[in-house]
Amino acid sequence: MLTGLLTLLCCAYTPKKGLAALLLVLEVGVLGTFLALDLILFFLFFEVVLLPMYAVIAGWGGPNRRAAARKFVLYTLAGSVLLLLGVLLVVTKAGTGDLILLAASPPLDRTTQYTAFALLAVAFAVKAPLWPLHTWLPDAHTEAPTVGSVILAGVLLKMGTYGLIRVGLSVAPDGAAWASPVLGVLAVVAIIAGALICLRQTELKRLIAYSSVGHMGFVLLGIATLSVAGIQAALLGNIAHGLITGLLFFLAGTIKDRAGTGSLNQLSGLRETAPRLAALLGFAAIASLGLPGLAGFWGEAFAVIAAVDRGGPFWTTLAAIAAVGGALTAAYFLRLLRRVTHGPATPEVRSVRPALTATEWLAWSPLILLTLAVGIAPALVLSDTALPLATLLGIQP
């Protein structure tokens, strides 16, 4: 549903027919990935998105678009090789690629599960992207057109975390249990590192891109707990990130296009010249920092609670570090708002057209309303997930 919604909004937002056509091809790959119940089909659809996303960045991106597109392709291809090896290993050893059969009773021995999970986890970490395999993301987001950034952040990153849950945990549960402490450590490092990097950023889209590293860290922490509550936190975090960061990139693209720059040093005073745009940026920022009552809060809070519930000094320490990362997230988003919306208006901001078009309201309104709805009623996402997740994990709900 998130994929269909964001693709529809992006196609309505862009007047370029070629770009809209590529977005529809991307939608085919993403939906196929989420719907495939066979490992080979999953891999094929996973790869469908590669060339269209390259074309989106290289064809309609910024001045350094070709370098960013090449970096995206090289990283993704490296992950694809590992994914293919993992898929072939599982299918060869198990004699089937049926995900339902593999999840019901994984037929792989422990050594094979360890190897398969390691290959799959690294491959999905590249796509998510999870620290330290995230370095392609800021360049891709900074150079991509607005709708490209929205689709990339909103749904393409989710293919990695979805794959880790749907394929990694179900096909190789022993491998997941073996690797869960490592995943937990990488998650909290991503949360802290992403926040500290954001505090030093001076470019609007680049800051939002790095914020995704931290948000995906909370998703990974939930997955690493291997509990129903943790996976629910990951699912909720995925949906919330898609809604909120999609809105943030819509707003950042509009601000950058109208002001002619994305430099935070040249964007102060936005509330003086474009108060509606500044208000929407403020709403999206406080939703992303995890304000209670908005969608961004629940996934991060549940991930921390799931780590505490896992028990023991190790997981409690990880939960405490993640909570500190949440505070740092608030710090860099408040810093962003202070620099962009407050202070005297710069010459670049004074040239910003204040009125919002009907197309912009059409594209942004559903994301605003859903951010509020999921924040107030997270059951909209979590309803009826406990039993399927317990079955996936092989535990009692």
Side-chain angles (χ1 to χ4, degrees):
M1 291 175 67
L2 179 66
T3 302
L5 173 66
L6 286 178
T7 306
L8 176 64
L9 298 181
C10 286
C11 287
Y13 188 82
T14 180
K16 301 177 178 68
K17 294 181 180 179
L19 182 54
L22 284 173
L23 294 179
L24 294 175
V25 177
L26 278 168
E27 184 181 21
V28 171
V30 177
L31 288 177
T33 301
F34 291 149
L35 294 173
L37 293 176
D38 181 88
L39 268 178
I40 302 297
L41 277 179
F42 176 89
F43 173 77
L44 292 175
F45 279 115
F46 200 88
E47 296 308 302
V48 165
V49 304
L50 179 59
L51 290 180
M53 195 65 223
Y54 172 86
V56 168
I57 298 172
W60 286 273
N64 298 316
R65 58 188 182 273
R66 296 194 181 278
R70 283 195 298 270
K71 193 172 185 179
F72 164 77
V73 166
L74 289 174
Y75 268 81
T76 307
L77 279 176
S80 298
V81 171
L82 297 176
L83 178 59
L84 179 59
L85 291 174
V87 167
L88 291 178
L89 176 63
V90 171
V91 173
T92 302
K93 293 289 187 178
T96 180
D98 190 317
L99 284 171
I100 296 177
L101 292 178
L102 290 170
S105 56
L108 305 176
D109 60 77
R110 180 167 298 181
T111 302
T112 303
Q113 287 195 40
Y114 288 174
T115 305
F117 188 83
L119 291 169
L120 295 171
V122 175
F124 293 137
V126 173
K127 180 69 78 175
L130 301 171
W131 186 93
L133 302 173
H134 67 283
T135 54
W136 63 267
L137 181 68
D139 291 334
H141 271 312
T142 302
E143 300 301 327
T146 298
V147 292
S149 293
V150 172
I151 291 294
L152 182 59
V155 290
L156 259 67
L157 304 190
K158 311 306 178 292
M159 293 167 62
T161 49
Y162 169 81
L164 193 59
I165 297 170
R166 189 67 182 88
V167 179
L169 300 190
S170 64
V171 169
D174 290 341
W178 163 70
S180 65
V182 177
L183 295 180
V185 171
L186 291 176
V188 297
V189 170
I191 293 167
I192 298 297
L196 293 177
I197 293 170
C198 284
L199 283 170
R200 295 182 59 84
Q201 291 305 304
T202 59
E203 208 280 337
L204 181 57
K205 289 184 72 175
R206 203 169 185 86
L207 186 151
I208 298 170
Y210 273 116
S211 75
S212 295
V213 176
H215 290 309
M216 290 297 101
F218 279 103
V219 172
L220 180 61
L221 179 62
I223 296 171
T225 64
L226 302 182
S227 64
V228 171
I231 307 299
Q232 285 181 320
L235 295 175
L236 192 50
N238 273 334
I239 299 298
H241 180 265
L243 296 172
I244 298 168
T245 307
L247 178 59
L248 277 170
F249 273 116
F250 268 132
L251 295 168
T254 297
I255 292 170
K256 190 171 182 178
D257 291 342
R258 294 186 182 188
T261 180
S263 172
L264 298 182
N265 297 324
Q266 298 173 289
L267 289 177
S268 66
L270 186 66
R271 67 176 183 173
E272 303 296 332
T273 59
R276 290 187 178 88
L277 196 55
L280 290 175
L281 180 65
F283 171 82
I286 63 173
S288 192
L289 65 81
L291 186 75
L294 298 175
F297 169 75
W298 296 107
E300 297 182 4
F302 286 171
V304 172
I305 292 171
V308 173
D309 288 344
R310 179 73 185 266
F314 176 77
W315 290 99
T316 303
T317 301
L318 293 187
I321 296 172
V324 172
L328 291 174
T329 302
Y332 70 72
F333 270 117
L334 292 175
R335 169 182 173 269
L336 168 67
L337 292 179
R338 179 179 62 81
R339 297 190 68 173
V340 175
T341 62
H342 290 63
T346 60
E348 292 81 6
V349 170
R350 279 196 289 270
S351 67
V352 170
R353 175 169 49 85
L356 299 179
T357 66
T359 300
E360 289 168 341
W361 279 117
L362 175 66
W364 303 346
S365 295
L367 301 180
I368 295 168
L369 294 175
L370 285 170
T371 298
L372 287 167
V374 173
I376 295 170
L380 291 172
V381 175
L382 299 181
S383 178
D384 299 326
T385 59
L387 182 58
L389 290 176
T391 303
L392 185 73
L393 295 170
I395 59 178
Q396 294 297 318

